[in-house]
Amino acid sequence: MNIKSYNDVFPYIIIDNFYINEELNLIWNELDFLSDGDKFNSPEETGSATNDSGFLKNNKGMWLDSMYKDRKYSNILTCSRKLIYELDFILSKSNSWWFKCLLGSKDILNIDHTLLSYYDEDDYYAPHFDRSILTSLTWLYKEPKGFDGGDFILNPTMYTDKKHLLNCMAPSKKIELKNNRVVIFPGMIPHLVTPVKMKNEVKGMGRFCISNFLNTFN
């Protein structure tokens, strides 16, 4: 696990090689199972962000917490607990006041939800923000990589939204898509995913994302 912290104008953390091979094997077993058939749901069913024109994303997804009564039956939910267990260690690597304020915050960040998303041909997520204190994204794809695009941009100023003052205060930051890479950032920072272009029509060769939304629940 290789942790790098950034704090130029807004804070974010990048973790490469987050999961070890044994964990990845477990996760991919479940991803292959979920990819078989028509198990993924449309944006209407996964609570996509919206604007006056409609849904802001075109991808497939599922809320894993709703699918499994007990998380022990999901390899993804079980392995992704690693983020919660290691959260204080991860946040301690940052010099950001935002992340430092969240150290020892398990009593504050006491609820999380997990969304599994899959991006195939022409799938995207337009600029939006999350209703979370922290958002963690884990990117996975089969190698050799079967698509182009699917890039992640924090604070996408090329799509100026006056509702987000940050657009006027800071430049955009493109974070390279890498397999088994985790990005952690404050959920209110606007972000997007550029359209995916598949290299072939092989099923399951697109872009998977495990999104963990950490929040406060009274």
Side-chain angles (χ1 to χ4, degrees):
M1 185 164 55
N2 181 18
I3 304 173
K4 292 184 179 179
S5 175
Y6 300 85
N7 190 31
D8 299 328
V9 178
F10 47 82
Y12 59 96
I13 294 171
I14 297 177
I15 310 172
D16 285 323
N17 301 314
F18 183 67
Y19 290 114
I20 61 175
N21 287 335
E22 290 81 357
E23 294 165 335
L24 284 173
N25 288 337
L26 287 170
I27 290 171
W28 274 110
N29 284 340
E30 187 169 359
L31 290 178
D32 287 339
F33 166 73
L34 294 174
S35 299
D36 186 21
D38 191 23
K39 301 183 181 75
F40 280 82
N41 299 313
S42 64
E44 294 90 337
E45 299 171 280
T46 55
S48 167
T50 61
N51 61 14
D52 294 339
S53 300
F55 293 104
L56 294 177
K57 71 179 179 183
N58 184 50
N59 65 11
K60 300 283 188 180
M62 59 181 71
W63 290 99
L64 296 182
D65 310 270
S66 300
M67 286 181 53
Y68 298 97
K69 184 177 180 179
D70 189 326
R71 67 171 54 248
K72 73 180 181 182
Y73 297 112
S74 167
N75 292 342
I76 296 172
L77 288 177
T78 301
C79 291
S80 66
R81 287 293 90 188
K82 182 176 184 176
L83 173 68
I84 307 301
Y85 301 147
E86 300 283 353
L87 187 60
D88 273 354
F89 173 72
I90 293 168
L91 297 182
S92 71
K93 299 298 182 180
S94 174
N95 291 322
S96 161
W97 68 268
W98 175 267
F99 289 136
K100 285 188 177 297
C101 284
L102 294 175
L103 285 171
S105 62
K106 289 184 180 179
D107 290 337
I108 300 174
L109 300 178
N110 56 1
I111 186 170
D112 67 277
H113 296 97
T114 304
L115 174 65
L116 173 64
S117 302
Y118 178 68
Y119 293 76
D120 208 282
E121 179 67 19
D122 291 330
D123 286 349
Y124 63 88
Y125 207 141
H128 66 286
F129 64 92
D130 303 327
R131 289 179 170 85
S132 60
I133 294 177
L134 282 183
T135 293
S136 170
L137 307 178
T138 303
W139 300 328
L140 297 166
Y141 53 82
K142 292 185 177 181
E143 299 190 51
K145 186 177 172 188
F147 61 93
D148 294 315
D151 296 316
F152 182 74
I153 300 176
L154 272 172
N155 192 41
T157 55
M158 66 287 293
Y159 299 95
T160 302
D161 184 342
K162 293 181 180 179
K163 292 185 297 183
H164 301 302
L165 182 60
L166 186 63
N167 285 142
C168 304
M169 296 172 58
S172 297
K173 177 61 183 181
K174 179 179 176 181
I175 299 178
E176 182 182 358
L177 177 68
K178 287 188 176 182
N179 198 15
N180 197 17
R181 165 170 277 187
V182 172
V183 180
I184 301 173
F185 58 96
M188 76 286 293
I189 299 177
H191 49 282
L192 65 78
V193 177
T194 64
V196 164
K197 296 295 181 182
M198 300 298 296
K199 297 179 181 179
N200 52 57
E201 297 182 1
V202 178
K203 193 171 184 178
M205 290 297 293
R207 179 190 192 273
F208 289 93
C209 180
I210 303 171
S211 301
N212 295 99
F213 304 103
L214 283 68
N215 230 320
T216 298
F217 181 77
N218 295 323

